[in-house]
Amino acid sequence: MRTAVITLLSASVFAASVGFAGHAVQQGLKQFRQADRYVTVKGLSERDVVADVAVWPLPILATGDDLAAVQASIDDATTKARAFLIAQGFEDAEIKIQKTEVTDLLAQAYRSGDTGQARYIIRQSLAVETPKIAAVLAAQGKIGALFKQGVVVDAAQAKYVYKGLNSIKPEMIAEATENARQGAEQFAKDSQATLGGIKTASQGQFQIMPADSEFQYDEGQSPNKKIRVVTTVQYDLFQK
């Protein structure tokens, strides 16, 4: 009888142990499934900005067979170009001579005798670097006034740069992250789950693109720019 009681008690303990183990495994699987559930969302932030610096190159050319005369010509042309730029509202400090190149065609190894061209070519690189974006846009349309004065200028398109990116980065990152969270909250609501904390997060590179369609292949020529950043965030999801 005693042996039967002990056997029955052992069977009861074993059954309880199996039941508890089964419950623990079931709970563990449930927690594992919950922990393994997550949603990955992307958040976008965009800003329309205007360039804050313009660099406008104005290479001036002069040619001739007398080097001193060509040099005098380039000096006169540079004086006229500088006066033109000051008349357009630029400061003298914003107008810089970057470099001067002198080419002697007869000094080149592959040439000899009469080249049929002026012997000397002087190219002087004048450039305007200024925050006055509107003044540059207006002056580019008036460059013909220099041609009428006999100034040979190879006026290239200005390059427009936005240097204020660092000042707007924190705000844009915060906005993109909030945008991502809103998407995650909507997903959790639709799937009848509770949104947890951030599992992983990564930030894409800031992109600076032309806002003007005519400059879509050369962002630098567009004074109006669009800045974009995308963040990718994973959130845990829990069953309600």
Side-chain angles (χ1 to χ4, degrees), residues 34-114:
Q34 287 181 342
D36 196 46
R37 295 186 66 196
Y38 59 88
V39 60
T40 301
V41 290
K42 292 183 182 294
L44 171 68
S45 178
E46 290 184 330
R47 290 286 186 281
D48 289 320
V49 299
V50 178
D52 45 23
V53 174
V55 179
W56 184 25
L58 291 152
I60 299 170
L61 301 175
T63 61
D65 292 318
D66 183 283
L67 183 57
V70 177
Q71 183 61 62
S73 178
I74 202 77
D75 290 343
D76 179 62
T78 301
T79 299
K80 290 176 179 177
R82 188 179 289 277
F84 164 78
L85 292 170
I86 290 175
Q88 304 308 309
F90 301 111
E91 304 292 331
D92 191 64
E94 296 173 325
I95 306 165
K96 300 174 182 178
I97 296 176
Q98 296 181 323
K99 63 179 179 178
T100 301
E101 298 175 342
V102 180
T103 302
D104 181 354
L105 296 182
L106 292 183
Q108 296 176 345
Y110 59 89
R111 292 179 183 267
S112 62
D114 186 7

Side-chain angles (χ1 to χ4, degrees), residues 39-41 173 177 180 197-204 230-235:
V39 60
T40 301
V41 290
I173 292 171
T177 304
I198 292 177
K199 190 179 181 75
T200 63
S202 63
Q203 173 203 312
V230 176
T231 59
T232 303
V233 187
Q234 275 188 1
Y235 290 93

Side-chain angles (χ1 to χ4, degrees), residues 3-47:
T3 303
V5 170
I6 293 174
T7 302
L8 181 60
L9 182 59
S10 298
S12 299
V13 171
F14 176 75
S17 299
V18 170
F20 178 78
H23 176 73
V25 169
Q26 189 178 43
Q27 288 297 108
L29 288 173
K30 182 178 179 182
Q31 290 175 4
F32 173 78
R33 287 195 298 268
Q34 287 181 342
D36 196 46
R37 295 186 66 196
Y38 59 88
V39 60
T40 301
V41 290
K42 292 183 182 294
L44 171 68
S45 178
E46 290 184 330
R47 290 286 186 281

Side-chain angles (χ1 to χ4, degrees), residues 159-178:
K159 293 290 184 180
Y160 300 96
V161 181
Y162 180 68
K163 293 187 175 181
L165 181 60
N166 286 338
S167 65
I168 64 173
K169 273 185 176 181
E171 181 183 344
M172 290 187 67
I173 292 171
E175 183 179 79
T177 304
E178 176 59 26

